[in-house]
Amino acid sequence: MVRKPSNSRPVVGVIGLGIMGEPMARNLLRAGFPLVVWNRTPARADALVAEGARLVASPRTVAEQASIAITMLSDSPDVEAVYRAPDGVLAGLGATRDDTVLVDMSTIAPRVARELAAEAAERGAVLLDAPVSGGDVGAREGTLSIMVGGDAAALERARPALEALGSRITHVGGSGAGQVVKACNQIIVGLTLEALGEALVLGSKAGVEPAAIVEALGGGLAASRVLEVRGAKLLARDFAPGFKLDLHAKDLAIVLATARELGVALPGTALVAQLFQAEQSRGHGEADNSTLVRALERLAGHEIGVPPVA
Ligand code: NAP
């Protein structure tokens, strides 16, 4: 096993180089962290390797070589597979004691986060759940909001690396709490997006220029980051992801399952989940989550920005 060098910048590993993971890895490189990476589709690491990252053969090797090993994968089963595979993250931990801090920044079920943290603890390592908000823009700019559940001392060890990724790092509680707060985040983002879509469909069908609606609302109580970032995309009818609808639908499924376990009714979230389903049924699951407005447009018989028939 190659052990970690003890220079001032610890070796950081990133597993999962998708829309989020790749720019996050790049920010770690730019901050001076020696970086090892692994991705299921190796070609997606090419640009990072050219910039100085080292591509290794398996998640196990990442865990063996990195002091801080970050995963940024799609869904709970993906994180479970990458952790538990024979060549997975857990296999790369020391047999008895290991000071590696594992940081799962994917959005997954709180229950799975807690289970994996327990399995890491059996090997002497700490797993933090540290999902993020801020989207692909926040990932590129290093301005994510990172909500962390798990051991506070381990967070302090990981903090210098997380500071290269985000501008707000909040320790929100014990293992799984980060994923609970991320679920709260996804409720607000989903419902805000739905509200934005309803507002634009109504205003546009009434004959008002959509850009004027976005401009005016951005200066008042209806202003939001969703309006700012997704409003511009909607006006351009740019549905390239961003944040894939399939991933947001996955998040709302986590929210609703957690709500069912707790006996909490979330009628607004259930409605947005159904509108997401309608867009998935139309083959738009890989589109940006703002494609939600296209479901509303169909219900209204009006496309935002198309002049209404007099
Ligand atoms: P993405 O572009 O679809 O990337 C997903 C990554 O996970 C890819 O590297 C993919 O590898 C890898 N992967 C998926 N399943 C795997 C498996 N079974 N085994 C190994 N690797 C697997 O997704 P993303 O937008 O980066 O999102 C990643 C996570 O961040 C998700 O949990 C998402 O909910 C969350 N998130 C996303 C945003 C956003 O705006 N995009 C914002 C906040 C949080 P391949 O390259 O081989 O496909």
Side-chain angles (χ1 to χ4, degrees):
M1 179 190 296
V2 179
R3 261 300 148 198
K4 303 111 201 204
S6 57
N7 58 5
S8 56
R9 284 294 201 201
V11 176
V12 178
V14 178
I15 296 169
L17 304 172
I19 288 177
M20 297 296 284
E22 186 192 6
M24 289 163 67
R26 183 164 290 113
N27 284 332
L28 287 162
L29 264 182
R30 287 180 181 158
F33 290 96
L35 191 71
V36 290
V37 295
W38 180 84
N39 196 57
R40 178 178 60 183
T41 309
R44 288 183 91 168
D46 286 353
L48 286 166
V49 168
E51 294 165 42
R54 203 154 40 80
L55 178 65
V56 296
S58 67
R60 174 188 183 135
T61 316
V62 173
E64 286 172 351
Q65 298 191 0
S67 298
I68 299 159
I70 291 170
T71 37
M72 195 49 168
L73 304 162
S74 304
D75 196 357
S76 306
D78 307 310
V79 177
E80 290 182 286
V82 164
Y83 265 71
R84 292 181 180 141
D87 242 4
V89 171
L90 292 174
L93 299 176
T96 50
R97 250 219 70 70
D98 198 299
D99 60 359
T100 308
V101 181
L102 307 168
V103 188
D104 179 39
M105 305 189 77
S106 328
T107 303
I108 64 169
R111 179 186 52 74
V112 174
R114 284 191 291 269
E115 288 170 3
L116 290 174
E119 290 170 43
E122 284 167 14
R123 290 160 177 81
V126 177
L127 168 58
L128 302 172
D129 47 298
V132 305
S133 178
D136 57 319
V137 177
R140 283 196 299 278
E141 294 177 350
T143 55
L144 294 167
S145 177
I146 305 172
M147 37 215 105
V148 187
D151 181 67
L155 169 58
E156 289 319 305
R157 296 214 300 281
R159 189 180 285 277
L162 298 184
E163 282 174 345
L165 307 177
S167 47
R168 182 174 302 202
I169 300 162
T170 313
H171 185 233
V172 293
S175 184
Q179 295 294 353
V180 170
V181 176
K182 174 66 186 187
C184 300
N185 184 83
Q186 293 309 75
I187 295 173
I188 295 173
V189 173
L191 268 69
T192 307
L193 202 48
E194 201 271 343
L196 173 61
E198 286 195 12
L200 287 177
V201 169
L202 175 76
S204 171
K205 195 166 185 179
V208 180
E209 189 57 46
I213 300 171
V214 170
E215 170 69 17
L217 298 188
L221 195 54
S224 71
R225 187 87 179 120
V226 171
L227 175 70
E228 189 186 320
V229 175
R230 289 299 192 261
K233 258 176 104 68
L234 281 175
L235 294 179
R237 295 198 81 69
D238 170 12
F239 295 113
F243 184 42
K244 290 173 196 159
L245 182 94
D246 277 344
L247 288 178
H248 203 160
K250 171 263 300 182
D251 294 351
L252 294 194
I254 292 170
V255 172
L256 291 170
T258 306
R260 200 162 37 247
E261 286 166 18
L262 295 169
V264 174
L266 299 177
T269 305
L271 170 70
V272 176
Q274 290 298 305
L275 292 168
F276 279 174
Q277 176 66 67
E279 275 302 284
Q280 287 174 308
S281 303
R282 295 184 63 217
H284 291 163
E286 291 276 314
D288 192 71
N289 59 348
S290 52
T291 189
L292 167 67
V293 302
R294 290 195 276 195
L296 298 168
E297 288 177 338
R298 280 165 71 86
L299 292 174
H302 173 77
E303 186 178 307
I304 295 166
V306 173
V309 181

